[in-house]
Amino acid sequence: MPGQSEAFSRVLIDRALEASGWNLLDPKQIQFEFHGPSGRADYILKGKTGQVLCVLEAKKEDLDPYDAKEQARGYAENLNAPFVILSNGREHWFWNYQRADQRDAYRIEGLPSRSDLDRVRLKNLQPPKPLLTEAVGPEYLRALRGDLTMRGYQIRAMDEIAKGFDGKGRRKFLLEMATGTGKTLLCAALIRRFLRTKNAERVLFIVDRIELAKQTMEDFNVVLGEYMPVIYRTARRTGELLGSSVVVATIQSLMMGRRYREEFTPFYFDLIVNDEAHRSIYGDAREVVQYFQGTRVGLTATPKAYLKNVDVAQLASEDPKALAGC
């Protein structure tokens, strides 16, 4: 059966843009079929001050949009647009190509909103420091509370993530740690490192029970106190959410009524830490985690044997580059 036409892909892309808050009828937000010196750009996405932010290149549904990366980059360079999106309607790739550390496009599940692109553009003007510039040793948290000491394996885990993030451009990590080895403290220190180096402005920490959220806050209030950590379930009702850089949420509270889509844009969080990650690799819970396009760190106390139930072939077809890097 022959694949659908590019026009069909554009219908899907239009719906995805509308789902992210873009007004297709407003030429101050979107231009279609823009003809420039290097050719025709399918979509031009503009920021709130009218500057061109992104070139979106559309391809037929049965084509790999990633293959159009250099073509789209040529359009973007001529328009001085910092971002490129490649899409066939079903699969989307995002490339912040002007950043030296963003070597390649990466797969995203949802398209960025206008405010997302504006925020990432501003971050480009003051790029973050490498994670490893924030040195971590046994006394890293001692100034926050005298009895907090980082263990050797915690420091090594943090540094391995930093090396993958800084040197290899990796954005997905899995930490396997036995119960009682200080996962929460490690996460608090890891989040602090991301925030202090400006590699994250907003962090989401996902747990699967409200009791765990409350326990997590005990450590976060000590280690991350200046970043105003909050529990999502209560903060969304009191207005504290907007002032917080660290949000602790149960997977259930995010899923209820698909609040995560209503209250957050895909690029809202720069770092997503998923406790007990093996419980959210299927169904709606997986959709929540994949919706957010920041760096993802999964935690599990379960041996890797749980992966025997994962359809690796399916994951490879969905995102082979991410699977290879995990």
Side-chain angles (χ1 to χ4, degrees):
M1 180 178 176
Q4 298 279 8
S5 68
E6 185 178 309
F8 178 78
S9 295
R10 293 198 189 197
V11 171
L12 300 179
I13 292 169
D14 289 351
R15 290 180 178 177
L17 286 167
E18 288 180 322
S20 293
W22 292 90
N23 182 353
L24 301 178
L25 302 179
D26 185 356
K28 293 181 180 179
Q29 294 190 31
I30 300 179
Q31 279 186 256
F32 304 92
E33 302 287 342
F34 182 88
H35 292 267
S38 60
R40 184 204 70 193
D42 295 322
Y43 296 78
I44 301 296
L45 307 182
K46 299 180 180 180
K48 293 178 181 177
T49 60
Q51 78 277 24
V52 177
L53 289 179
C54 182
V55 168
L56 194 162
E57 182 65 18
K59 291 299 177 184
K60 291 173 61 176
E61 188 181 16
D62 58 350
L63 296 180
D64 185 350
Y66 180 84
D67 292 340
K69 186 179 73 168
E70 293 304 326
Q71 173 190 354
R73 178 179 182 167
Y75 302 155
E77 287 177 337
N78 281 321
L79 292 166
N80 197 28
F83 312 121
V84 165
I85 294 174
L86 313 163
S87 179
N88 62 8
R90 304 286 187 189
E91 180 181 315
H92 318 294
W93 295 77
F94 180 80
W95 191 13
N96 186 359
Y97 76 94
Q98 289 186 343
R99 276 268 299 273
D101 60 334
Q102 302 284 319
R103 300 174 181 82
D104 204 353
Y106 60 91
R107 179 83 175 269
I108 58 176
E109 297 298 321
L111 297 183
S113 69
R114 198 182 192 193
S115 61
D116 284 334
L117 293 182
D118 270 321
R119 189 168 76 92
V120 179
R121 181 186 65 83
L122 290 175
K123 287 175 65 176
N124 281 358
L125 299 177
Q126 291 185 309
K129 300 176 183 178
L131 286 174
L132 284 171
T133 60
E134 176 78 358
V136 175
E139 299 183 355
Y140 182 57
L141 305 177
R142 194 73 58 81
L144 301 168
R145 201 175 75 192
D147 62 340
L148 293 180
T149 300
M150 297 290 295
R151 301 169 186 172
Y153 60 84
Q154 294 171 324
I155 296 169
R156 289 193 295 274
M158 287 182 62
D159 284 347
E160 283 301 311
I161 289 175
K163 290 173 186 176
F165 185 91
D166 292 341
K168 300 178 182 178
R170 290 179 60 184
R171 294 298 181 265
K172 295 181 181 180
F173 303 90
L174 178 65
L175 291 177
E176 182 186 338
M177 297 180 65
T179 301
T181 53
K183 284 193 298 179
T184 305
L185 187 63
L186 168 62
C187 288
L190 180 66
I191 290 169
R192 186 174 183 83
R193 194 181 218 180
F194 267 84
L195 290 168
R196 283 179 60 84
T197 56
K198 306 299 183 184
N199 282 288
E201 294 178 2
R202 301 169 181 154
V203 180
L204 177 65
F205 188 88
I206 302 175
V207 297
D208 63 356
R209 298 194 309 276
I210 190 61
E211 293 79 11
L212 291 178
K214 293 175 181 177
Q215 292 173 19
T216 298
M217 286 293 290
E218 293 178 9
D219 282 332
F220 281 16
N221 280 330
V222 173
V223 177
L224 302 167
E226 70 265 44
Y227 297 104
M228 309 284 288
V230 296
I231 294 178
Y232 170 66
R233 191 170 76 171
T234 54
R236 65 183 299 272
R237 294 196 297 262
T238 60
E240 295 177 290
L241 200 59
L242 292 177
S244 174
S245 296
V246 182
V247 177
V248 180
T250 64
I251 193 73
Q252 294 86 353
S253 63
L254 291 169
M255 288 167 55
M256 186 176 295
R258 305 189 89 191
R259 284 176 181 162
Y260 66 97
R261 288 184 177 272
E262 296 296 326
E263 300 186 12
F264 303 110
T265 61
F267 284 59
Y268 186 89
F269 294 105
D270 306 298
L271 173 65
I272 300 92
V273 183
N274 186 13
D275 194 16
E276 300 297 334
H278 59 281
R279 299 186 183 182
S280 57
I281 59 176
Y282 297 111
D284 292 341
R286 182 181 178 198
E287 181 184 339
V288 173
V289 175
Q290 289 189 329
Y291 172 76
F292 295 110
Q293 304 307 313
T295 300
R296 299 181 203 163
V297 178
L299 305 170
T300 182
T302 303
K304 292 178 182 176
Y306 80 85
L307 288 173
K308 66 185 180 182
N309 295 318
V310 175
D311 187 340
V312 176
Q314 180 182 348
L315 289 180
S317 67
E318 291 177 354
D319 198 347
K321 295 179 179 62
L323 182 64
C326 287

